Amino acid sequence: MADWLLAEDDWTTRERAHRSRVEEFLAPHRERAQIGEPHPVWDFLFRYYSLRPRQLHVWHPGFGVVLGGPDSRAARAYLNRTGYGPHPAGVTVAFEHLRSRVDTVGFVANLLRATASRSPRMNCFGMHEWAMVYRAPAVRHERVPLRLGKDATDAVVESIPLRCTHFDAFRFFTEPAAAMNAGTPSRAEQSGWEQPGCVHANMDLYKWCYKLGPLVESELLIGCLELAADARALDMRASPYDLTGYGFEPIAVETPAGRALYVREQQEVAARAAPLRTAIADRCDQLLAAALTAAGN
């Protein structure tokens, strides 16, 4: 992978554009945080996913890109960030950092390629959130009531087959709900289960991007975050919770019309996720090729 030199004016323009895009996305979250107001939908993006807002603000050009300006204060500031090193023309993500992350790059590449190789399944109807409260003594979001009440919620779970393929959703199922699922997804067999119709697998593209850290350009990361936010909204609109007080119109998956609506919106999320998944996987392939070439030298 040949180094691509970005002039200081070019890369600082991209850096500013990224920060502006992030600021726009984070503004509502920051306002809530200042007054200590939790949100049952959006807090997930900052609690379940471990990238903190301050980390999201940092723009990364990706491996193989040199931030021009060897005498530039702006370029030298990147030397204080994890993964960066000096370059004769400026600053870049160091090969040593790529070498230390090769196993993660390979895992992400294999998982995303395996996921993309399967036909999308559009018959889960968002029932994972329902399965997480099935016959449970308490709900997960205690500040938000169940839309149908406990008994009716349990009845819906018993009337619609559970077909979850995503381990990180399945692992939160109650024990009786897990026993009703069509199969048992596991961490060890994650790449054999995930499929491109899954809302959670598409949401997780954001996670795989930030786990690759500075090796991947931030424009791809924020694109995945914006998709994750829309997928999360769909996820919770189809959940058993009454979120109308937060401005979310429910998708009544207990009805045929609601399930049809969920599938349409699920298909839209999957269509948006497909090119992002391909972009991340292609980037991983390039990184692995760069690591292999350097090792051969």
Side-chain angles (χ1 to χ4, degrees):
M1 181 184 293
D3 291 336
W4 175 28
L5 177 63
L6 282 179
E8 185 172 353
D9 285 349
D10 292 336
W11 71 259
T12 53
T13 296
R14 285 177 58 183
E15 183 184 45
R16 286 192 298 272
H18 170 76
R19 288 178 177 170
S20 176
R21 191 174 174 185
V22 169
E23 275 297 310
E24 182 178 356
F25 184 92
L26 289 178
H29 174 72
R30 186 172 54 252
E31 292 170 4
R32 290 191 300 270
Q34 288 172 347
I35 61 175
E37 179 183 317
H39 197 288
V41 177
W42 300 132
D43 287 352
F44 176 88
L45 297 175
F46 307 102
R47 291 181 180 173
Y48 174 79
Y49 293 117
S50 61
L51 194 69
R52 303 277 72 86
R54 61 177 175 77
Q55 296 170 304
L56 186 59
H57 274 98
V58 179
W59 174 78
H60 297 290
F63 182 81
V65 177
V66 179
L67 303 179
D71 300 319
S72 161
R73 175 183 292 182
R76 289 200 308 273
Y78 273 79
L79 294 174
N80 297 321
R81 302 192 186 284
T82 299
Y84 285 86
H87 184 279
V91 174
T92 191
V93 177
F95 173 74
E96 289 75 14
H97 183 72
L98 169 59
R99 183 168 54 192
S100 73
R101 302 293 290 160
V102 161
D103 288 347
T104 297
V105 174
F107 171 82
V108 173
N110 290 336
L111 175 64
L112 298 190
R113 293 294 188 201
T115 302
S117 72
R118 300 187 179 94
S119 298
R121 300 182 190 176
M122 302 291 176
N123 61 355
C124 73
F125 307 124
M127 290 300 297
H128 44 273
E129 287 286 344
W130 299 70
M132 294 176 193
V133 299
Y134 178 64
R135 295 189 183 177
V139 296
R140 288 166 55 82
H141 298 282
E142 65 277 0
R143 295 180 45 160
V144 185
L146 293 173
R147 182 167 55 82
L148 303 179
K150 186 181 184 312
D151 291 343
T153 297
D154 288 349
V156 171
V157 177
E158 292 164 358
S159 70
I160 299 176
L162 299 179
R163 305 184 179 98
C164 184
T165 58
H166 194 271
F167 173 72
D168 281 313
F170 176 76
R171 67 190 176 100
F172 292 108
F173 281 25
T174 64
E175 187 173 342
M180 296 163 60
N181 196 58
T184 308
S186 67
R187 178 72 71 207
E189 298 178 346
Q190 185 173 4
S191 64
W193 276 91
E194 294 203 4
Q195 47 85 18
C198 174
V199 169
H200 275 267
N202 293 327
M203 212 181 301
D204 277 352
L205 293 176
Y206 171 57
K207 175 175 69 175
W208 303 127
C209 248
Y210 73 67
K211 282 188 176 294
L212 295 171
L215 296 170
V216 174
E217 58 274 22
S218 290
E219 288 86 351
L220 184 54
L221 174 70
I222 192 66
C224 289
L225 174 57
E226 290 167 346
L227 173 67
D230 290 342
R232 173 62 176 173
L234 171 60
D235 195 27
M236 293 305 287
R237 287 177 59 215
S239 78
Y241 298 103
D242 184 355
L243 294 162
T244 53
Y246 291 87
F248 290 88
E249 186 69 24
I251 297 176
V253 294
E254 69 274 15
T255 69
R259 291 193 289 276
L261 174 59
Y262 180 85
V263 169
R264 289 195 297 272
E265 298 205 15
Q266 183 184 21
Q267 288 171 331
E268 290 176 6
V269 168
R272 288 173 55 196
L276 292 171
R277 180 176 289 107
T278 297
I280 301 169
D282 287 348
R283 189 69 170 132
C284 287
D285 289 347
Q286 293 165 4
L287 292 167
L288 292 171
L292 185 62
T293 299
N297 292 335

